[in-house]
Amino acid sequence: MFAERREEALSVIHPGWDRYIEDIPSAPIIWLSIEVPMMVHEVVIVGTGPAGLMTAEQSAARGLNTLVLEKRKRVTDSLMGELVTDKALKMLRVKPTSEYVGNKFTAIVGESLDTGANIVVDRSLLGNSYLLDEDRCQELMRDRALSDGAEFRFESRVSSVIEENNAIRGVKYNKTQSARAGLTVGADGSFSRVSATAGFTHPKWLLSYGYRYKLANCKDVDPGTAYFYVGKDVGLGYLWLYPRSESEVNLGIGRVPSSVENWNKLMPMREVLNKYMREHEETSNAKIVGVNGGVVPCAGIIPRFSDAGVALCGNSAGQVSSIVGGGVTTCLHAGRMLATHAKRMADESDYSKKSVKEYEKEYRTSKLAYNITQTGKGMYAVARYSMFNDPISAAEIVLDELDARTLNELIQGTAGVSTYMNLFSNFLPMVMRIGMGYLKAIAVSGP
Ligand SMILES: Cc1cc2nc3c(=O)[nH]c(=O)nc-3n(C[C@H](O)[C@H](O)[C@H](O)COP(=O)(O)OP(=O)(O)OC[C@H]3O[C@@H](n4cnc5c(N)ncnc54)[C@H](O)[C@@H]3O)c2cc1C
């Protein structure tokens, strides 16, 4: 019904008419109240991170009338995330040898900056790990969406959703403008305006704050090896070094503020990166050619992320692998799934709560969602432990005790029953310490 009315309207009005009308606030009221439908878009997507871009690409590919709103000037202005496995390449439909992949790693090293203790996950255990060329991947998804008819409006800052008759009907942006659609998608990141104004809640919301330098002019870097570091200066999180070539690396840090007091005791994040650069020969003369940052949720999927006329996707829904803070694969996966549901909703002209919830239901039963939920619980426990204990001890214990195979299985989300049995017998002290810290935390501040 809605689709038919849209076709009818589009056949008599040139594309982009709604934007024209939005610029003249007094015009549409009389006109629209006659016969023309208020919604010309089936989907309006807020945000052009990996979640929004994949939803846009896949919605447009399915013939949906898709509008994308982004507060920044272009898709490449925001950080997408870069270390991924085969899964992400498959969803992006790019080859490992293509220009969309910047590097491939043959080993990953986990190391303590304080003690030098390390573990090496080598080729025999490592699945394929790639460094994406983020800008090219973002442009690729944008261009695919554009060529299938999606419309992008940059410098469009969304302030709130439009709610009518207990359903979300679109969004307001740039103070005076609005965009209406059957389905509104909040892919606007960790501080989602769509989420906040549509009434979704985020209990136990743990956020990891991250900074990243792009460095050039480095010396003798082994391009095949990526590094993860823990240490007292790092706090609850890790520092990473991903080589792009022998002379270029991406150096970043992500940290969870377990408490204000603990956070204030720690060295500022950029200072930790600067210190690392000074103290390592490979980077001591390097030039910073790019700085970026962002915030990633790591407490797992939020309790509810769909409602009548609205769905969240990506960071806004907590769809991020909690322990490592990896969001690219999970966002692409969710965006693709949401687009198939958007198509169903458009075909049935049904954007009711029940209909949109089908997306949430399918998402929650996926393997990725299961892994996010499990790691989210673990991260929550570790953060609570750290609130009342030395924040670094949990990470240090893990690094000292775990072997490479187990670490790799946990990171890849492939750990089976035997791994967990091993964990419980071999690493009982660690589990006990974290568990006791968790109980202590709950006793003090409630679950
Ligand atoms: C430093 C750092 C390094 C990371 N590295 C990796 C990695 O190597 N591998 C990995 O898998 N993951 C990584 N991640 C995580 C990954 O980047 C995120 O999980 C992912 O980008 C989330 O995608 P998203 O589309 O949900 O949100 P975002 O990427 O946050 O995109 C949200 C978009 O919405 C826009 N927006 C926000 N508010 C509004 C508004 N009101 N109106 C209009 N537009 C709005 C923003 O400008 C932005 O473009 C990293 C994160 C950080 C911070």
Side-chain angles (χ1 to χ4, degrees):
M1 164 81 171
F2 168 66
E4 277 165 30
R5 291 179 73 198
R6 180 185 68 82
E7 290 303 325
E8 199 183 320
L10 286 176
S11 65
V12 290
I13 302 162
H14 72 86
W17 68 276
D18 59 326
R19 188 167 22 160
Y20 172 71
I21 286 177
E22 281 153 12
D23 290 338
I24 313 167
S26 59
I29 300 162
I30 306 161
W31 195 46
L32 290 176
S33 65
I34 309 173
E35 275 296 22
V36 180
M38 296 275 283
M39 298 175 197
V40 286
H41 296 104
E42 274 139 345
V43 196
V44 60
I45 298 160
V46 185
T48 59
L53 284 171
M54 181 52 88
T55 313
E57 178 199 297
Q58 293 292 314
S59 298
R62 285 166 174 74
L64 299 180
N65 196 292
T66 306
L67 172 67
V68 187
L69 301 173
E70 165 60 53
K71 67 180 179 184
R72 298 178 200 252
K73 284 193 176 141
R74 52 189 82 83
V75 285
T76 51
D77 281 352
S78 73
L79 179 151
M80 170 170 161
E82 52 194 356
L83 187 75
V84 298
T85 60
D86 291 302
K87 269 192 205 131
L89 300 199
K90 218 169 148 192
M91 285 188 264
L92 283 165
R93 292 179 285 133
V94 299
K95 294 210 166 86
T97 49
S98 67
E99 72 265 35
Y100 303 104
V101 177
N103 197 9
K104 179 177 175 180
F105 299 116
T106 47
I108 289 190
V109 177
E111 191 166 309
S112 165
L113 285 169
D114 305 321
T115 65
N118 66 47
I119 46 175
V120 181
V121 182
D122 65 16
R123 194 190 279 273
S124 62
L125 284 169
L126 189 68
N128 289 320
S129 286
Y130 305 98
L131 195 69
L132 291 177
D133 184 319
E134 294 165 286
D135 287 358
R136 284 196 169 134
C137 289
Q138 284 167 305
E139 284 167 347
L140 175 73
M141 288 187 277
R142 176 204 60 195
D143 291 347
R144 283 176 178 161
L146 281 172
S147 70
D148 282 326
E151 184 190 347
F152 284 74
R153 294 181 198 166
F154 291 96
E155 299 187 80
S156 299
R157 181 181 289 273
V158 167
S159 52
S160 72
V161 293
I162 299 169
E163 192 181 342
E164 279 167 11
N165 302 325
N166 296 322
I168 304 305
R169 306 282 183 203
V171 289
K172 291 184 185 160
Y173 67 100
N174 289 355
K175 297 199 175 123
T176 56
Q177 293 176 285
S178 59
R180 291 172 169 271
L183 181 68
T184 298
V185 175
D188 47 344
S190 302
F191 302 113
S192 167
R193 288 302 301 156
V194 173
S195 172
T197 57
F200 297 113
T201 52
H202 307 147
K204 301 180 184 173
W205 195 239
L206 271 174
L207 295 170
S208 168
Y209 292 76
Y211 250 119
R212 187 190 59 194
Y213 286 170
K214 288 202 168 186
L215 303 180
N217 205 30
C218 305
K219 211 177 111 196
D220 297 336
V221 177
D222 167 10
T225 305
Y227 289 84
F228 288 93
Y229 295 97
V230 293
K232 288 200 163 39
D233 291 337
V234 177
L236 186 61
Y238 59 89
L239 182 146
W240 66 87
L241 182 134
Y242 303 153
R244 306 200 303 280
S245 69
E246 280 173 12
S247 60
E248 298 165 308
V249 306
N250 293 350
L251 183 70
I253 179 170
R255 177 195 278 172
V256 174
S258 54
S259 70
V260 176
E261 202 192 344
N262 281 337
W263 184 270
N264 290 339
K265 278 192 226 154
L266 291 166
M267 187 183 277
M269 287 197 290
R270 284 177 78 159
E271 187 44 45
V272 183
L273 295 182
N274 296 341
K275 185 176 170 198
Y276 179 95
M277 284 173 68
R278 283 195 305 273
E279 290 179 354
H280 290 78
E281 219 186 316
E282 293 92 332
T283 52
S284 56
N285 288 315
K287 220 174 125 200
I288 301 171
V289 292
V291 182
N292 221 327
V295 176
V296 180
C298 43
I301 302 160
I302 68 173
R304 191 170 60 87
F305 55 86
S306 66
D307 208 337
V310 64
L312 303 180
C313 188
N315 274 11
S316 58
Q319 293 163 337
V320 177
S321 169
S322 313
I323 286 189
V324 283
V328 175
T329 309
T330 51
C331 288
L332 298 178
H333 166 248
R336 211 173 51 164
M337 186 182 288
L338 179 52
T340 61
H341 283 277
K343 168 74 173 140
R344 172 188 52 75
M345 292 175 218
D347 286 348
E348 296 167 359
S349 287
D350 184 359
Y351 298 96
S352 64
K353 183 174 178 168
K354 191 166 168 245
S355 175
V356 185
K357 199 167 182 188
E358 291 299 313
Y359 151 64
E360 177 164 348
K361 267 203 219 152
E362 189 190 343
Y363 182 82
R364 286 192 189 277
T365 54
S366 69
K367 194 166 172 245
L368 273 180
Y370 175 79
N371 288 343
I372 293 171
T373 304
Q374 295 311 311
T375 54
K377 281 181 192 159
M379 198 58 212
Y380 182 66
V382 172
R384 284 299 191 117
Y385 170 85
S386 312
M387 224 178 264
F388 299 95
N389 296 276
D390 174 6
I392 197 54
S393 61
E396 288 279 2
I397 302 163
V398 172
L399 197 69
D400 284 350
E401 302 287 331
L402 280 187
D403 65 89
R405 178 182 296 274
T406 311
L407 181 71
N408 194 40
E409 285 178 5
L410 290 173
I411 288 174
Q412 304 273 345
T414 54
V417 177
S418 62
T419 302
Y420 283 108
M421 291 303 283
N422 264 343
L423 261 181
F424 277 97
S425 53
N426 295 350
F427 309 113
L428 200 59
M430 174 189 87
V431 175
M432 288 292 285
R433 280 180 70 180
I434 292 178
M436 279 166 65
Y438 182 46
L439 289 176
K440 194 168 140 193
I442 288 177
V444 175
S445 58

